[in-house]
Amino acid sequence: MKTLKVSLGIAVLAIALSGCAPTYSLVKPNASAKVGSGMMKVQPGIAWSKAPAGSGQMLKSEVWTQNGPVLDAVVFLGPVKDGTAIVMQNKKAERKVPVFHAQMTPQDLVDMVESYYRIRAGATIFENEALKPTTFLGAKGLDFTYRYVGADEVKRRGRTVISVIDQQLYLMTLDGAAPYFDSAQLEFEKLVASAVL
Amino acid sequence: MCMMGAPSFAGELTTDLSAVVPRGYAPLDADERGLWQSWEKLEELLAVSNLRIRDPQLNAYLGEVMQRLMGDQAKDLRIYIMRNPEFNAAMAPSGVMIVNTGFLARVRNEGQLAAVLGHEAGHYLRRHTLQSWRSIRTKSAIGAFVAAGANVATGYTGQTTWYDLANAINQNLLLSVFQHSRGLESEADAYGFKLLSQAGYSPESASQVWTQLIEEHKASAAARGKRYKAGGSALSTHPPPEDRQEDLAVTAKLHRMRNAQATFEDRREAYLLAIGPHRVSLLEEQVMLNNPGASLYLLNALAQDGWDSTLRFSEGEVYRLRNEAGDPARAMTAYRQAIEAPGATSTMYRAHGYAQLKHGNREEGIAALRHYLTLEPTANDAQMVRFTLEQ
């Protein structure tokens, strides 16, 4: 009953609650902001709270939130090199998030994200809602929407956009409990549209 | 279904046990009443859980299997099928039975299903949870039951899942369900075997379940270059002790010898009929965890009854997710076998199409993806597939 051992707060993209007081910082609206490992830049239309560095589960990701990452979170990730996983994981871990490869098909990328949710968030219900092509960071990419129930049994939705540029993966995700997800969608779309390298 | 115990020599289980819990049983003393009250609160959470499978047909089917095992007394039980990929089931003293999808995914027939359900019924009919509760409470010297009751009464809402609540109320409450002593587990094995054999199921069903689980754990460890560790703990994914499997195998062998004229059945068709609508998602739960050693072992174990399109597709998915040298070709082969088998679905054609494109077999890949769109013109990824075809 491994997933049952997972305690409160496994919001997917998010924050391991610890005894230390996390230091959040303000992301000002209408100003260009470097995100992730600094390669991507976006321009938020509203103010966000930026979670402390290293709080996202994805490797070198950056997490922004409006109401706390358990309720809503935007995650920026990239670049991820060909042959690298999007998370830090033990070589001998029996369950491993599939490694990113530049030649992955759209279905491979979608399943890599789903596998991540199942392994890292204890999601046992994961339903794809829509997968369509998009333009992200000026390149052809994919836009993937889904709903899931994680180990905390809360219904959540997620939306991930991915582009593979020069053999490297760039990703933005919006994740949240249903009403928070809905209210953040428009701003997320603006963030995606504003994203540049 | 606890998984602890000291090693012992294999031997026949004592199956001439009688139930200590009669039909319509109500708790007798304060301890037991408190235990039941705690479980009433937990049952409310189970009933509304987002992870519960409510399919009336599947729930009714499990109820029918319990009826075959326990007769009228099965009406005292409430079964909750929960989405959880781990192999497990549990029995609360109040008659709440929790059955994980991870257990259903690993079962080949009704006999094996009945073996585990019978084991859980054994815990119930022999009042094991109360015994374990008292034992654990004594050992831990916590004695927090009064506090636990207060938490429930005040409507504790700080956690969200039934498990979280149980843990918050009192960890001993959980341990009393998931961690029985070796003696009680052995007794539940014996009682389960008694119910299994009385109902006419193949006596080997119980030992087969354990053998498969042990071998799956070995395969999982081997695939990641790890050493297999025998034994395990109740709340982990560790394997069960081999001595329980051996006891059940010996008991089955002797039972079959003594009943040489009897006929036994595994009711595989009945199981497949009931599980059919959920089989793809049950396997998907396992495969998407990307534990290739465990998944490939499981698929091969299930395929002892014959490969079909779902098993071949799942095999392809395992190789595709693992993506080590040679895996793309293995996945491609498996997907082809899936679409060539009866019952191939649109999803299998899509997987076949993408695999072919990845290998440069453009013509076949395009044909398969077009076929997918013909079967599913309004698929939620139709735009993406059309975009791929245009590249």
Side-chain angles (χ1 to χ4, degrees):
Chain A
M1 290 224 141
K2 189 175 180 182
T3 58
L4 294 179
K5 291 172 73 179
V6 179
S7 60
L8 179 70
I10 311 219
V12 160
L13 305 159
I15 299 241
L17 299 172
S18 71
C20 306
T23 306
Y24 282 77
S25 56
L26 176 69
V27 180
K28 292 178 181 173
N30 304 315
S32 181
K34 286 184 178 179
V35 291
S37 51
M39 293 286 284
M40 272 191 283
K41 281 187 283 188
V42 295
Q43 185 159 323
I46 58 175
W48 288 84
S49 295
K50 178 181 168 183
S55 54
Q57 284 210 30
M58 287 184 182
L59 205 58
K60 295 180 183 173
S61 61
E62 180 168 328
V63 179
W64 291 5
T65 180
Q66 288 288 319
N67 301 285
V70 172
L71 296 178
D72 60 52
V74 170
V75 178
F76 306 92
L77 173 71
V80 176
K81 289 180 183 172
D82 181 51
T84 309
I86 60 174
V87 293
M88 184 75 80
Q89 51 192 355
N90 189 317
K91 188 181 176 186
K92 291 192 173 183
E94 293 186 11
R95 296 171 179 177
K96 290 168 86 168
V97 177
V99 170
F100 162 70
H101 289 286
Q103 76 279 19
M104 278 179 149
T105 67
Q107 196 60 44
D108 291 339
L109 292 167
V110 162
D111 288 342
M112 179 183 73
V113 172
E114 176 176 341
S115 188
Y116 164 74
Y117 273 78
R118 289 184 182 269
I119 294 169
R120 292 301 175 98
T124 44
I125 296 174
F126 191 98
E127 295 169 4
N128 301 345
E129 290 186 323
L131 171 61
K132 59 186 181 185
T134 193
T135 299
F136 175 48
L137 295 169
K140 293 173 184 172
L142 61 85
D143 181 343
F144 169 42
T145 309
Y146 41 92
R147 61 178 67 239
Y148 70 99
V149 180
D152 62 359
E153 303 192 13
V154 174
K155 288 182 180 176
R156 287 193 173 84
R157 291 184 70 201
R159 185 169 174 184
T160 294
V161 293
I162 294 175
S163 274
V164 177
I165 301 168
D166 295 334
Q167 308 280 302
Q168 300 184 111
L169 176 139
Y170 294 86
L171 172 154
M172 274 179 63
T173 288
L174 168 65
D175 186 277
Y180 297 92
F181 175 88
D182 293 341
S183 61
Q185 278 238 60
L186 191 60
E187 169 69 4
F188 178 72
E189 287 169 0
K190 287 179 184 171
L191 284 171
V192 170
S194 72
V196 291
L197 287 179
Chain B
M1 188 146 49
C2 170
M3 305 173 181
M4 294 188 78
S8 65
F9 294 106
E12 185 180 13
L13 295 165
T14 304
T15 57
D16 59 343
L17 301 164
S18 53
V20 297
V21 172
R23 172 87 170 92
Y25 176 76
L28 299 173
D29 60 26
D31 261 9
E32 200 172 10
R33 282 198 300 275
L35 205 50
W36 279 50
Q37 282 168 5
S38 295
W39 269 100
E40 281 172 14
K41 182 67 180 173
L42 298 178
E43 189 174 357
E44 287 175 17
L45 290 179
L46 282 169
V48 299
S49 170
N50 286 326
L51 297 180
R52 184 182 175 197
I53 292 186
R54 294 177 169 79
D55 173 13
Q57 287 181 316
L58 184 58
N59 279 277
Y61 172 68
L62 291 194
E64 287 163 18
V65 175
M66 290 310 301
Q67 184 92 15
R68 280 174 71 96
L69 290 168
M70 298 173 70
D72 204 36
Q73 198 161 1
K75 292 175 183 169
D76 288 343
L77 305 186
R78 281 94 58 212
I79 301 172
Y80 293 89
I81 307 169
M82 306 300 288
R83 287 206 171 275
N84 185 323
E86 312 302 335
F87 177 100
N88 221 333
M91 186 79 230
S94 58
V96 168
M97 179 183 277
I98 298 162
V99 175
N100 279 5
T101 46
F103 158 54
L104 296 179
R106 289 169 169 83
V107 169
R108 288 169 51 198
N109 55 52
E110 188 175 301
Q112 294 184 352
L113 174 70
V116 173
L117 298 186
H119 171 95
E120 297 306 327
H123 282 311
Y124 173 76
L125 293 168
R126 300 288 293 177
R127 274 207 299 183
H128 285 170
T129 303
L130 182 64
Q131 292 181 53
S132 293
W133 160 260
R134 285 175 171 154
S135 170
I136 292 165
R137 185 181 57 173
T138 303
K139 285 175 190 168
S140 64
I142 291 173
F145 193 73
V146 174
N151 280 338
V152 171
T154 54
Y156 179 90
T157 56
Q159 309 287 342
T160 52
T161 72
W162 73 270
Y163 181 89
D164 288 332
L165 180 61
N167 213 8
I169 291 172
N170 192 329
Q171 197 176 33
N172 292 353
L173 186 69
L174 268 187
L175 292 175
S176 68
V177 174
F178 291 111
Q179 185 175 307
H180 296 294
S181 69
R182 175 68 181 91
L184 294 187
E185 286 298 340
S186 181
E187 193 173 282
D189 281 342
Y191 208 100
F193 186 88
K194 173 186 169 182
L195 296 176
L196 185 79
S197 54
Q198 282 176 352
Y201 291 110
S202 301
E204 295 81 8
S205 301
S207 62
Q208 286 168 354
V209 171
W210 291 114
T211 300
Q212 184 177 315
L213 192 62
I214 292 165
E215 293 304 319
E216 181 187 318
H217 280 275
K218 287 180 181 174
S220 174
R224 296 297 192 201
K226 295 166 72 175
R227 197 161 55 85
Y228 167 74
K229 293 175 187 169
S233 65
L235 297 176
S236 74
T237 55
H238 294 167
E242 283 73 358
D243 55 334
R244 284 177 60 191
Q245 181 274 328
E246 290 169 6
D247 288 352
L248 285 162
V250 167
T251 307
K253 187 177 180 182
L254 293 171
H255 181 81
R256 196 173 271 279
M257 282 171 56
R258 293 181 192 123
N259 298 274
Q261 303 304 316
T263 56
F264 302 102
E265 56 182 354
D266 59 25
R267 291 176 54 81
R268 175 172 156 73
E269 294 306 316
Y271 177 74
L272 287 182
L273 189 66
I275 212 72
H278 301 278
R279 192 154 173 258
V280 169
S281 69
L282 290 177
L283 291 174
E284 186 181 48
E285 266 182 29
Q286 303 299 319
V287 168
M288 293 304 289
L289 292 172
N290 197 24
N291 181 348
S295 293
L296 289 174
Y297 178 84
L298 171 62
L299 294 172
N300 280 281
L302 297 176
Q304 289 175 65
D305 300 307
W307 284 96
D308 57 27
S309 58
T310 301
L311 293 178
R312 282 298 182 199
F313 169 70
S314 300
E315 184 191 28
E317 296 285 83
V318 174
Y319 288 131
R320 183 171 64 92
L321 292 176
R322 186 171 70 177
N323 200 27
E324 292 177 355
D327 281 343
R330 293 186 190 99
M332 193 166 63
T333 302
Y335 291 141
R336 181 184 296 286
Q337 289 171 317
I339 63 165
E340 288 174 352
T345 64
S346 58
T347 306
M348 297 172 192
Y349 279 94
R350 183 183 64 195
H352 174 63
Y354 276 128
Q356 294 296 326
L357 287 182
K358 214 188 277 186
H359 275 74
N361 302 335
R362 184 167 171 75
E363 204 169 306
E364 190 170 355
I366 287 174
L369 290 179
R370 284 190 175 142
H371 188 61
Y372 169 69
L373 290 174
T374 303
L375 294 172
E376 298 278 352
T378 59
N380 58 24
D381 65 343
Q383 276 190 61
M384 194 75 231
V385 174
R386 288 194 184 96
F387 178 80
T388 301
L389 289 171
E390 288 163 8
Q391 301 307 300

